[in-house]
């Protein structure tokens, strides 16, 4: 399915539908007698560049290690929290809202609104009034068109949730102001003055709107009124004072207004529309998954049926395509997808809506190269480059190491030091290596190999790892080492840091393997080879794979993070066929997690689906897919995080998960339908990318009947029908 269909307007923000071009993002409500458009700009964040690295952290690092090596894990956890911290990241801001009040509209019967994922068009119909909305990438403009066979009128007004002013100037409605200098995270509930404008250093913003109509126009001081129209085209552009992650933003509103208004042109609606559709479809149509029927079912009825425990194939198809759509709408040439993509309506969004790099940020892009959206990875690649640059100071100051380090919360200013908070999440210096591993994985999967920036990032990653590793009983280990974001029961009490955690050691093994495959200098490769010989081995415990250096008990058996299973997915260093015993240890821990999980956290479910595919576990995959669609999806199909939050990572992770159920690759051998759940038993895929190779295949009743690739591949002889037609495939 390719259309989100509703028969009632959105009442709340999390029921509205998202549009975007990677920089300007809009949520559309589709009201009967009024319209609300909530605007974001990907570059609109609180704060300004600041250095939160602390030499005191390095001075205390050895003390933390000594406590851990002495078995005083609980004491060490408190010590890390109190001494190895940095400061909070800043927050992604809502920009402005447009309110459109319709007048002289007589009929509101036969209401319907929809989002067409094949054209990226929002449309609403109510009586004679028809609305169309989209955000154009080629013309960099948000467009809202209202038209009717009967004459109508409307009034456009504007507001913002940050400090702002509104005026009409030169026939343009302008809302402008400044972001806060400080926006503390939403989880700091007792902090006084969490939003502060006192320094006047934060960036300015502007939303500028103009209209084109055949009606009469009255320009007020803070609104625009139209009467007697058969159509009104509303054009809006966003602008901010962002000048770069390491540069002070422009705080002068008048300068930002002038720069923004210059981008508001005179448009030909039909040309802008066709250019938008052509540009969008060139990306969206590269890859296609067909399951179920391309019906006109409405979203709410499908979600209601999913609550019974068996989601329809059409809903799976729709959610899958929705993830592709939001990748294109949210990630083109500006900032990378954050915790809410680019759509946020709060000045204190969940977890600051930042780049949460201990899973969520990476998950946003897991699917991108596989579905052929390499262009949408450009902001991710650019952010990697900036994080490496910024993280070199963190590595030097906080850890006394070469290379670069990055912890778990990154904002537009590329903060790479730890934040304040509990050790199980705030201390995570290997997140930078995870980001680089993902960068390399996408480059290789897209068939591009190592470019200069990626090779440099990987080099800086392994240089940090080599310096950060410390020796314990003849082994090289990470210390302190957390398994995000889980506590365990140590001899001296509840703790969150140990040494040689499976998560971090898996990330290191992935980074080292990539480095040895790369054209990196032989001197560094030799250091890596020597280090590999001494890496602390994975350990077995009653739960399967030990999360820390030995067996510790932990109370939260169904914990949301699958971090210790990184080697299975997304690291893919533990193979289902080549590493059978290690894979079994990982699978046992996977089952402990999934069998004891009762949460409705969407991103965790998405990760479980990905892992189920790698484990060839059809039963757990089906159970998790159905549970996710029953509990973890909001009315507008946004991913849900309890108690009331939207996080977009689960939307993107779901796409990756379905991909893993359909295609498994290990050592260059491709296997089709490794965990084909019931809703996927019939279907087809075209444009699926594996290691730079395009795959097209079709299946019935869980067996492949047709397969072809654009380059020769080795195909595992499983799940193939007796008379399967295979092109460019050698069976193994």
């Amino acid at each position: 399915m390719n259309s989100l269909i509703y028969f009632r307007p959105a009442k709340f923000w999390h029921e509205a539908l998202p549009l975007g071009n990677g920089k300007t993002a809009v949520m559309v409500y589709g009201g009967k007698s009024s319209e609300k458009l909530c605007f974001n700009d990907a570059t609109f964040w609180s704060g300004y560049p600041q250095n939160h690295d602390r030499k005191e952290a390095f001075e205390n690092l050895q003390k933390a290690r000594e406590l851990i090596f002495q078995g005083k894990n609980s004491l060490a956890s408190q010590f890390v929290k109190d001494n190895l911290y940095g400061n909070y990241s800043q927050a992604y801001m809502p920009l402005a809202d447009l309110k459109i009040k319709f007048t002289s509209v007589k009929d509101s019967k036969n209401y319907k609104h929809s989002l067409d994922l094949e054209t990226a068009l929002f449309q609403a119909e109510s009586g004679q009034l028809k609305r169309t909305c989209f955000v154009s990438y080629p013309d960099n403009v948000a467009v809202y068109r209202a038209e009717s066979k009967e004459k109508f009128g409307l009034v456009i007004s504007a507001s913002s949730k940050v400090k702002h002013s509104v005026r009409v100037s030169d026939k343009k409605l302008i809302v402008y102001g400044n972001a806060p200098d400080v926006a503390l995270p939403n989880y700091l509930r007792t902090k006084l003055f969490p939003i502060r404008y006192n320094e006047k250093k934060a960036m300015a913003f502007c939303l500028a709107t103009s209209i084109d109509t055949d009606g009469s126009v009255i320009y007020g001081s803070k609104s625009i009124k139209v009467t007697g129209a058969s159509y009104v085209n509303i054009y809006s552009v966003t602008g901010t004072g962002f000048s770069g992650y390491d540069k002070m933003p422009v705080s002068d509103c008048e300068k930002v207004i002038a720069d923004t208004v210059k981008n508001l042109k005179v448009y030909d609606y039909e040309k802008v529309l066709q250019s938008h559709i052509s540009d969008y479809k060139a990306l969206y149509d590269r890859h296609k998954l067909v399951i179920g029927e391309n019906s006109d079912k409405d979203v709410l009825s499908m979600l209601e049926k999913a609550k019974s425990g068996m989601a329809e194939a059409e809903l799976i198809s729709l959610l899958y395509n929705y993830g592709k759509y939001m990748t294109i709408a949210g990630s083109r040439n500006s900032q990378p997808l954050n915790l809410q993509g680019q759509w946020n309506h709060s000045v204190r969004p969940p977890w600051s809506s930042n780049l949460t790099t201990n899973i969520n940020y990476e998950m946003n892009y897991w699917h991108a190269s596989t579905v052929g959206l390499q262009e949408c990875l450009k902001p991710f690649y650019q952010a990697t480059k900036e994080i490496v640059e910024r993280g070199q100071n963190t590595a030097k100051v906080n850890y006394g190491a070469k290379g670069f380090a990055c912890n778990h919360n990154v904002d537009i200013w590329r903060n790479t030091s730890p934040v304040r908070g509990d050790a199980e999440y705030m201390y995570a210096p290997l997140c930078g290596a995870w980001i680089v591993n993902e960068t390399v994985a996408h480059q290789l999967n897209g068939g591009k190999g190592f470019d200069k920036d990626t090779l440099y990032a990987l080099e800086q990653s392994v240089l940090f790892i080599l310096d950060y590793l410390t020796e314990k009983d003849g082994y090289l280990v990470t210390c302190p080492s957390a398994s995000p974001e889980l506590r365990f029961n140590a001899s001296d009490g509840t703790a969150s840091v140990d040494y040689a955690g499976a998560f971090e050691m898996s990330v290191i093994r992935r980074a080292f393997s990539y480095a040895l495959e790369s054209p990196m200098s032989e001197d560094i490769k030799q250091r890596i080879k020597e280090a590999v010989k001494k890496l602390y081995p994975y350990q077995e415990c009653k739960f399967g794979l030990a999360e820390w250096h030995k067996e510790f008990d932990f109370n939260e058996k169904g914990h949301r993070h699958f971090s210790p299973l990184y080697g299975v997915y997304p690291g893919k260093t533990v193979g289902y066929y080549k590493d059978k015993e290690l894979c079994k240890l990982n699978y046992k821990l996977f089952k402990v997690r999934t069998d004891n999980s009762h949460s409705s956290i969407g991103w965790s479910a998405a990760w479980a689906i990905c892992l189920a595919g790698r484990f060839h576990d059809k039963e757990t995959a089906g159970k998790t897919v159905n549970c996710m669609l029953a509990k973890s999806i909001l009315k507008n199909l946004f991913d849900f995080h309890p108690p009331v939050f939207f996080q977009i990572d689960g939307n993107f992770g779901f796409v990756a998960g379905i991909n893993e159920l359909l295609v498994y690759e290990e050592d260059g051998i491709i296997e089709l339908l490794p965990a084909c759940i019931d809703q996927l038993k019939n279907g087809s895929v075209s444009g699926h990318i594996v290691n730079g190779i395009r795959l097209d295949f079709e299946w019935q009743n869980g067996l492949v009947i047709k397969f072809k690739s654009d380059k020769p591949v080795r195909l595992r002889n499983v799940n193939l029908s007796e008379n399967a037609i295979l092109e460019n495939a050698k069976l193994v």
Side-chain angles (χ1 to χ4, degrees):
M1 285 187 67
N2 285 284
S3 290
L4 281 72
I5 299 172
Y6 299 84
F7 295 110
R8 67 186 191 209
K11 291 183 179 180
F12 308 104
W13 184 89
H14 57 265
E15 295 178 352
L17 294 176
L19 300 168
N21 64 2
K23 182 178 186 295
T24 297
V26 185
M27 293 288 283
V28 191
Y29 282 62
K32 293 182 179 180
S33 59
S34 65
E35 181 64 89
K36 188 174 183 180
L37 306 177
C38 299
F39 282 81
N40 290 100
D41 186 296
T43 62
F44 191 49
W45 288 68
S46 64
Y48 49 87
Q50 296 185 68
N51 182 6
H52 299 311
D53 300 329
R54 298 171 60 252
K55 64 179 181 179
E56 294 85 356
F58 176 56
E59 293 168 357
N60 286 296
L61 178 58
Q62 191 56 40
K63 174 64 174 177
R65 287 174 169 172
E66 290 172 2
L67 289 171
I68 292 169
F69 290 155
Q70 292 168 8
K72 300 176 181 178
N73 297 78
S74 182
L75 188 60
S77 300
Q78 188 64 44
F79 184 84
V80 169
K81 177 180 179 180
D82 293 342
N83 294 279
L84 273 61
Y85 62 84
N87 210 340
Y88 303 112
S89 62
Q90 289 301 316
Y92 182 54
M93 292 283 108
L95 191 90
D97 298 341
L98 283 185
K99 182 71 178 292
I100 305 168
K101 178 67 176 178
F102 295 103
T103 60
S104 305
V105 177
K106 301 175 183 178
D107 184 8
S108 60
K109 296 178 181 178
N110 301 317
Y111 176 86
K112 174 184 175 182
H113 77 264
S114 64
L115 175 60
D116 186 339
L117 303 180
E118 292 185 296
T119 58
L121 295 179
F122 172 95
Q123 292 186 313
E125 297 181 20
S126 181
Q128 296 294 322
L129 186 64
K130 178 180 178 181
R131 278 80 53 71
T132 302
C133 189
F134 60 94
V135 184
S136 167
Y137 177 79
D139 291 287
N140 192 29
V141 63
V143 182
Y144 186 92
R145 177 180 174 88
E147 57 187 312
S148 176
K149 294 179 180 178
E150 299 177 348
K151 297 294 184 179
F152 69 96
L154 56 78
V155 178
I156 310 170
S157 57
S159 63
S160 177
K161 292 184 177 179
V162 300
K163 282 191 175 180
H164 69 283
S165 299
V166 180
R167 72 186 190 216
V168 174
S169 176
D170 193 24
K171 297 184 178 181
K172 296 175 181 64
L173 176 63
I174 299 171
V175 54
Y176 59 98
N178 290 83
D181 295 291
V182 174
L184 294 177
N186 67 309
Y187 52 83
L188 299 177
R189 297 181 178 87
T190 61
K191 288 284 185 179
L192 296 176
F193 309 111
I195 303 295
R196 301 197 290 269
Y197 294 87
N198 53 311
E199 295 178 316
K200 302 187 186 303
K201 294 181 180 179
M203 70 173 74
F205 78 92
C206 173
L207 173 68
T209 297
S210 65
I211 68 166
D212 164 39
T213 180
D214 62 352
S216 301
V217 184
I218 300 173
Y219 293 96
S221 61
K222 294 185 178 182
S223 64
I224 300 175
K225 182 177 181 180
V226 179
T227 59
S230 64
Y231 76 88
V232 181
N233 298 326
I234 303 171
Y235 300 101
S236 301
V237 296
T238 63
T240 77
F242 180 69
S243 302
Y245 82 95
D246 56 350
K247 297 178 178 64
M248 287 299 294
V250 176
S251 58
D252 182 350
C253 288
E254 293 304 321
K255 185 178 187 315
V256 171
I257 291 171
D259 291 342
T260 304
V261 168
K262 282 192 297 188
N263 294 322
L264 194 58
K265 307 169 185 175
V266 175
Y267 302 95
D268 181 314
Y269 174 78
E270 288 299 329
K271 287 184 178 179
V272 173
L273 174 64
Q274 293 307 315
S275 178
H276 157 73
I277 293 174
S278 177
D279 168 77
Y280 173 80
K281 287 181 69 65
L283 296 175
Y284 186 81
D285 290 347
R286 285 180 188 166
H287 176 279
K288 182 176 290 188
L289 167 67
V290 178
I291 56 172
E293 299 177 1
N294 192 19
S295 66
D296 58 355
K297 295 179 180 179
D298 69 287
V299 171
L300 297 183
S301 66
M302 287 191 289
L303 287 175
E304 188 63 32
K305 187 171 182 179
K307 290 179 181 179
S308 67
M310 178 59 75
E312 296 176 287
E314 287 80 7
L315 182 58
I316 293 174
S317 171
L318 189 61
L319 192 60
Y320 183 95
N321 289 331
Y322 196 45
K324 280 175 47 185
Y325 161 80
M326 288 193 291
T327 305
I328 303 170
S331 185
R332 295 293 293 265
N333 65 352
S334 183
Q335 293 297 307
L337 296 157
N338 61 50
L339 205 57
Q340 294 184 281
Q342 309 294 7
W343 298 275
N344 165 50
H345 68 121
S346 174
V347 293
R348 295 187 75 192
W351 299 282
S352 301
S353 197
N354 56 29
L355 312 182
T356 308
T357 60
N358 67 356
I359 173 58
N360 317 91
Y361 174 52
E362 292 89 348
M363 182 182 284
N364 282 351
Y365 287 97
W366 279 351
H367 66 293
S369 58
T370 302
V371 298
L373 295 179
Q374 278 288 346
E375 292 92 335
C376 296
L377 281 155
K378 289 179 181 178
F380 181 85
Y381 295 150
Q382 179 61 30
T384 299
K385 182 178 179 180
E386 294 169 356
I387 290 167
V388 170
E389 292 170 354
R390 178 64 188 83
Q392 288 171 332
N393 193 70
T394 299
K396 179 180 178 181
V397 174
N398 285 43
Y399 306 104
K402 296 178 182 176
F404 93 101
C406 174
N407 288 269
H408 96 293
N409 269 0
V410 178
D411 54 24
I412 199 169
W413 314 113
R414 304 303 182 239
N415 174 49
T416 52
S417 63
V419 298
R420 293 176 179 266
D422 292 329
E424 67 260 27
Y425 62 84
M426 60 78 79
Y427 192 81
L430 269 295
C431 285
W434 188 348
I435 294 169
V436 173
N437 287 350
E438 295 291 328
T439 302
V440 175
H442 284 299
Q443 290 278 314
L444 296 180
N445 193 56
K448 293 189 175 184
F450 294 90
D451 62 19
K452 182 178 70 172
D453 289 338
T454 302
L455 183 61
Y456 180 74
L458 181 60
E459 177 188 276
Q460 294 300 297
S461 173
V462 298
L463 286 176
F464 172 74
I465 292 169
L466 289 167
D467 280 0
Y468 182 68
L469 285 167
T470 189
E471 193 159 318
K472 170 65 173 172
D473 299 332
Y475 290 106
L476 289 176
V477 302
T478 57
C479 184
S481 181
S483 190
E485 299 164 355
L486 181 62
R487 295 171 179 254
F488 58 92
N489 302 317
S491 59
D492 63 335
T494 303
S496 52
V497 293
D498 186 50
Y499 68 87
F503 161 63
E504 291 187 340
M505 300 306 288
S506 296
V507 170
I508 288 171
R509 285 182 166 89
R510 175 76 280 181
F512 280 176
S513 65
Y514 278 145
L516 293 175
E517 296 171 15
S518 76
M520 198 174 292
S521 76
E522 289 302 319
D523 289 343
I524 298 177
K525 285 186 178 181
Q526 188 57 42
R527 289 183 63 192
I528 292 171
K529 290 175 183 176
E530 293 301 317
V532 167
K533 297 175 185 177
K534 298 175 68 176
L535 287 178
Y536 192 79
Y538 297 116
Q539 300 295 305
E540 182 177 0
C541 71
K542 65 183 178 182
F543 304 115
L545 180 71
E547 295 201 36
W548 299 276
H549 91 278
K550 68 174 185 177
E551 180 173 308
F552 288 107
D553 199 6
F554 51 94
N555 296 327
E556 197 178 350
K557 301 298 189 293
H559 188 67
R560 60 193 176 277
H561 277 262
F562 293 92
S563 308
L565 307 180
Y566 173 91
V568 177
Y569 191 91
K572 299 181 182 178
T573 57
V574 178
Y576 180 78
Y577 292 102
K578 69 177 180 179
D579 303 300
K580 291 185 181 296
E581 294 306 312
L582 182 55
C583 192
K584 288 179 182 177
L585 286 183
N586 279 265
Y587 181 68
K588 187 174 180 180
L589 181 58
F590 173 68
K591 291 298 289 179
V592 169
R593 284 281 201 273
T594 54
D595 288 349
N596 290 280
S597 176
H598 305 290
S599 76
S600 53
I601 299 174
W603 64 260
S604 180
W607 198 351
I609 296 167
C610 293
L611 285 162
R614 300 296 293 179
F615 286 125
H616 294 55
D617 184 352
K618 172 184 174 180
E619 181 180 352
T620 303
K623 175 183 174 182
T624 309
V625 167
N626 287 320
C627 185
M628 181 176 179
L629 293 178
K631 297 181 178 181
S632 308
I633 303 298
L634 298 169
K635 291 179 180 179
N636 65 353
L637 298 189
F638 274 175
D639 174 55
F640 175 74
H641 190 297
V644 292
F645 300 136
F646 154 53
Q647 279 189 208
I648 205 168
D649 39 25
N651 287 103
F652 299 130
F654 182 81
V655 181
I658 298 301
N659 289 340
E660 292 299 323
L661 303 185
L662 297 176
V663 179
Y664 179 86
E665 183 272 334
E666 181 180 320
D667 290 340
I669 299 174
I670 293 171
E671 178 180 347
L672 303 177
L673 310 181
C676 185
I677 64 176
D678 291 344
Q679 297 96 322
L680 303 179
K681 65 181 180 180
N682 299 308
S684 65
V685 167
S686 60
H688 192 99
I689 306 299
V690 177
N691 298 335
I693 302 171
R694 176 187 167 119
L695 311 180
D696 302 336
F697 58 101
E698 183 179 344
W699 65 97
Q700 292 179 358
N701 295 318
L703 296 177
V704 175
I705 59 174
K706 291 181 182 179
F707 172 88
K708 69 176 181 179
S709 63
D710 63 353
K711 297 176 184 176
V713 298
R714 291 183 293 165
L715 188 65
R716 196 171 295 278
N717 191 8
V718 295
N719 303 323
L720 304 178
S721 68
E722 185 176 350
N723 299 313
I725 300 172
L726 308 178
E727 296 183 34
N728 247 354
K730 179 181 179 182
L731 295 180
V732 295

